[in-house]
Amino acid sequence: MSAAHPILNTPQAEAVAHVNGPLLVFAGAGSGKTRVITYRIVNLVAEHRVAPYRILAVTFTNKAAGEMRDRLSRILGPGGEAIAKDLWVGTFHATCAKLLRRFGGSIGLPRDFVIYDTQDQRAVVSRVLKELDFDEKRYPPRTVLGRIHKEKQEGRGPDEMEAGDYVDDVVVKIFRKYEEHLHRAGAVDFEDLIGRTVKLVEDPDSEDAKTIRRRFQYVLVDEFQDTNRMQYRLVKALASETQNLCVVGDDDQSIYRWRGADIRNIRNFRRDFANAKVVKLEQNYRSTKRIVSAALGVISPSREREPKELWTDNEDGIPIDVVAARDEHDEAAFVTRSISDARAEGTSLREMAVFYRIHAQSRVLEEALRVANVPYQIVGGMKFYERAEVKDALSYLRVLVNPQSDVDFLRIVNVPARGIGQTSIERLTAFASSRGLQVHDALAKLDEATDVPTAAKKKLAGLRDLLEDFCAFERQHAASDVLDRILEKTGYRDALKNEDSAEADARLENLAELIGSIRDYEAEMQAAGEKGSLSGFLERVSLQSDTDQMEEEGRVTLMTVHSAKGLEFERVILTGMEEEMFPYRGMDPGGEEELEEERRLAYVAITRARKHLALTHTSMRQIFGTTRWGRPSRFIGDLPAESIVQKATRSASQRPQQSYVERARETRDYAPMPSWFQKKQPTVQRAAGERYVDKEFFADTSAGSEGGDSESGELRRGARVLHSRFGEGEVRRIEASSEPAAVVFFPGWGEKKVLARFLRLA
């Protein structure tokens, strides 16, 4: 295959045509890296007659491996399917499992070894903790397992692990016992699949190792920036005989450091392979010029990055919207309105995506989309009210309202773990059935439950007393305070804190967000002159949790930016662009590495969009049960002035625009905002000549405009009104009661009954 292949541009053809020796391909976002890998394999097979079984292509997902095989089959034409089948194409874990099944005996691994998944691994750790008489609350299995995985990713076993304190000494003991259990069971975990294969292939004297190293004449690795230390050692060992190692990746898109990915692998590749040929794919085929320019603006300040100048021949495209909203509900209203407008213009919902930095942000967005009857799907996470910790909390609340709900009681009877085993629960359930009682009611007759062990009875009695305490507390306090007390008194919150893991932190954030949602409900009821109740909130949640009906057109995609890696959409809305939200982790002293990864994450988010991109930030945001005052993200400050247009929703425009800049400058070490953010911009013209600002939703931020077009008048049907919490809405009807009230439709909130004294005309 010549370098002049018509399907490939010059750098792509150069990477495809390279045959022998190490090759490093820096592939910018949207630059066609999958095409390069695929055609490189085609070139080796079709032009250089390399046997397919002598080519190994490593991907990071099974989906990517399947797509690569399908593409190769189509390109190779007749017989292509058989050739693709002979190739070694798969993930690191699948490739290693295949090798170990055949050659694992030489390192003492039985041929029929079993692979323990995460749940199995935690069960082993729990058993080890009991054997060593260690408290699971002090040493949560999830946390201990995370530490063991980290050591294995660095190639260290329990004997090589550095123990710096008492906790480390304990982990070493657990680690050693954990390994003994796996060995006796003839089992391996996911990290072992890599580690054992490295041990096998690196052995200089093993005949099996020599056979494997000779087998693979060419090794290709996709998404190389996401490899960890042991994965890199593996591919180096596999290619050690021929040096025909091709790695493709982009250090600008390395966003999985928390999973063990080591960005130094791609940045230091030339140190290990001094004669490596380097090719840079810098032409973006996905996005408009303005979007590409914005992405470069965000990533260019990154330290130590490989210099790359992403560019495109695509059209300039429309400006990127940078939208100031008042709060998260105003932001959600903008998102919903944007999606509805794009849908009306003919854009499929499948081509639209809403990104956020953390899962907890999805709650308000989900509620707004439900109100507007916009179908959506959550990718990379569950819908907010379907998450395990949220369902646990709601079950506690439901038991207080309806103790007869066996489903809810059985969900929380041993959550968090309080030493009530499954056998005891089954005996309690059988006892309740024999007496014609609900399980909760059976707690009052524990003395008669002879089959339930005494120890379990004591624990069940403790739970009964807790529930009685919560019931008494609920009669005197707000629902949000009730949930806060439940999380505190049951030890649920402390159990998650003790896990000290990223997953546990996310669950804590979701619980705090649930408390925030109850407070939203209570504030809404107060505005309507009513008192919110726990049963009222639970009824609302039950209605919100109904499954959305699938429409032929599909659904809008909601996801974290991490989940968006590798995807692309016609329209993208990137929400929550405030300091401490995005960047999320880079604010701590000494957190430069975290901040660098946040910058790369922002780059990934921006480059998912093809034609339409909007970034939103809020003046304030209630998240995790607390209110934060927002400063625009420093990444907004990196956007080129010629690529963006600044907007503000009508609700946000009630504040002077300068306040956003002032708040951004109040804190030292925040990046200074660019000049475009310090003054009002002229209105941008669309291609068709109409005004870019939507007066129905946005304040006109053009020069001389004060924002909004207030007029005096009486509260009446159809009037535009403002509320301090719900933002701008339209009066649907007036209700006469002890105090004048109106039913108002607020975008993102739906219809709300509000006392007239809480409203003012827009």
Side-chain angles (χ1 to χ4, degrees), residues 565-593:
K565 177 81 177 294
L567 303 177
E568 60 182 75
F569 301 89
E570 192 80 359
R571 288 176 175 266
V572 168
I573 304 175
L574 178 54
T575 63
M577 291 299 291
E578 303 113 41
E579 289 291 316
E580 299 186 18
M581 286 300 296
F582 201 171
Y584 185 59
R585 290 194 178 95
M587 306 307 299
D588 297 331
E592 284 302 313
E593 289 187 10

Side-chain angles (χ1 to χ4, degrees), residues 15 146 154 228 247 381 404 419 504 580 607 625 672 698 744:
E154 293 295 319
N228 61 35
V247 298
Q404 305 306 306
E580 299 186 18
T607 54
F698 294 108
V744 184

Side-chain angles (χ1 to χ4, degrees), residues 30-300:
S31 62
K33 71 177 177 63
T34 305
R35 176 184 297 178
V36 167
I37 295 172
T38 305
Y39 275 96
R40 179 172 167 78
I41 294 174
V42 170
N43 185 45
L44 291 172
V45 173
E47 298 292 330
H48 297 276
R49 304 301 178 186
V50 178
Y53 65 85
R54 302 203 67 188
I55 300 174
L56 169 64
V58 184
T59 64
F60 265 79
T61 65
N62 290 313
K63 180 182 177 183
E67 290 175 349
M68 188 177 294
R69 283 185 186 278
D70 292 342
R71 189 177 294 196
L72 284 166
S73 297
R74 291 194 300 271
I75 297 173
L76 289 166
E81 186 174 347
I83 294 174
K85 189 175 181 181
D86 285 343
L87 292 164
W88 280 61
V89 179
T91 64
F92 272 101
H93 292 122
T95 300
C96 289
K98 191 174 178 180
L99 289 171
L100 290 175
R101 292 290 180 200
R102 182 170 176 181
F103 300 103
S106 64
I107 57 170
L109 195 63
R111 187 180 183 87
D112 59 349
F113 66 85
V114 296
I115 302 171
Y116 278 178
D117 62 19
T118 303
Q119 205 166 12
D120 298 327
Q121 295 165 34
R122 287 179 190 159
V124 173
V125 172
S126 293
R127 183 174 175 184
V128 168
L129 288 168
K130 290 176 183 175
E131 291 178 0
L132 297 176
D133 199 24
F134 290 135
D135 185 359
E136 279 199 24
K137 291 183 179 179
R138 186 171 183 183
Y139 305 104
R142 191 192 309 267
T143 304
V144 173
L145 192 58
R147 180 65 188 279
I148 290 173
H149 286 169
K150 185 176 180 181
E151 294 298 321
K152 287 189 175 187
Q153 287 170 0
E154 293 295 319
R156 293 189 291 266
D159 295 332
E160 294 81 32
M161 179 177 164
E162 296 180 6
D165 54 27
Y166 173 75
V167 174
D168 285 347
D169 290 337
V170 171
V171 173
V172 168
K173 293 176 183 177
I174 299 170
F175 192 176
R176 187 172 288 115
K177 200 78 171 175
Y178 171 82
E179 292 292 274
E180 291 174 6
H181 274 276
L182 263 60
H183 178 72
R184 287 200 301 269
V188 296
D189 60 22
F190 295 130
E191 307 306 330
D192 286 334
L193 287 174
I194 310 292
R196 296 289 184 90
T197 308
V198 169
K199 179 181 179 181
L200 169 65
V201 179
E202 285 185 339
D203 189 335
D205 302 318
S206 166
E207 289 302 317
D208 283 344
K210 293 175 183 177
T211 299
I212 295 171
R213 293 195 297 265
R214 284 194 298 265
R215 180 185 186 93
F216 297 119
Q217 188 177 351
Y218 292 91
V219 178
L220 300 89
V221 184
D222 191 14
E223 302 288 2
F224 187 61
Q225 76 279 350
D226 294 332
T227 54
N228 61 35
R229 178 184 175 87
M230 293 302 287
Q231 289 166 337
Y232 185 28
R233 279 178 58 181
L234 174 62
V235 295
K236 281 173 61 180
L238 289 172
S240 59
E241 299 266 336
T242 65
Q243 297 290 291
N244 293 333
L245 174 60
C246 169
V247 298
V248 183
D250 183 8
D251 58 330
D252 290 339
Q253 297 185 68
S254 178
I255 59 174
Y256 297 119
R257 180 172 172 267
W258 49 281
R259 287 185 187 171
D262 192 341
I263 197 172
R264 293 172 298 182
N265 291 347
I266 191 168
R267 287 181 174 170
N268 296 339
F269 185 80
R270 282 166 290 189
R271 182 192 62 190
D272 296 332
F273 295 89
N275 62 330
K277 180 178 181 61
V278 179
V279 176
K280 295 183 181 180
L281 308 182
E282 299 172 302
Q283 182 175 0
N284 178 286
Y285 292 93
R286 177 187 302 155
S287 308
T288 65
K289 280 188 171 70
R290 282 191 167 100
I291 292 173
V292 169
S293 176
L296 263 182
V298 167
I299 199 61
S300 293

Side-chain angles (χ1 to χ4, degrees), residues 364-398:
V364 176
L365 293 166
E366 289 182 60
E367 291 174 354
L369 291 171
R370 277 196 203 93
V371 167
N373 198 28
V374 176
Y376 70 91
Q377 62 176 340
I378 301 285
V379 174
M382 297 183 218
K383 292 181 178 179
F384 182 80
Y385 290 107
E386 293 175 2
R387 291 167 187 156
E389 62 277 8
V390 173
K391 293 183 76 171
D392 289 343
L394 292 175
S395 286
Y396 268 105
L397 296 176
R398 288 194 188 100

Side-chain angles (χ1 to χ4, degrees), residues 331 335 354-357 361 365 573-577 616 621:
E331 176 183 62
V335 169
V354 183
F355 297 163
Y356 37 81
R357 176 61 183 80
Q361 289 173 258
L365 293 166
I573 304 175
L574 178 54
T575 63
M577 291 299 291
T616 64
R621 180 181 300 276

Side-chain angles (χ1 to χ4, degrees), residues 320-380:
I320 297 166
D321 290 338
V322 178
V323 181
R326 187 197 57 209
D327 58 21
E328 71 275 13
H329 294 284
D330 192 29
E331 176 183 62
F334 161 74
V335 169
T336 303
R337 174 67 175 268
S338 298
I339 290 169
S340 298
D341 288 350
R343 190 181 185 187
E345 292 169 3
T347 303
S348 167
L349 291 177
R350 290 192 183 95
E351 284 296 331
M352 292 184 262
V354 183
F355 297 163
Y356 37 81
R357 176 61 183 80
I358 54 175
H359 284 300
Q361 289 173 258
S362 75
R363 195 259 306 174
V364 176
L365 293 166
E366 289 182 60
E367 291 174 354
L369 291 171
R370 277 196 203 93
V371 167
N373 198 28
V374 176
Y376 70 91
Q377 62 176 340
I378 301 285
V379 174

Side-chain angles (χ1 to χ4, degrees), residues 722-738:
L722 291 171
H723 183 271
S724 62
R725 185 170 187 80
F726 307 140
E728 183 177 359
E730 179 183 313
V731 176
R732 293 289 170 86
R733 63 181 181 275
I734 305 297
E735 291 195 354
S737 57
S738 57

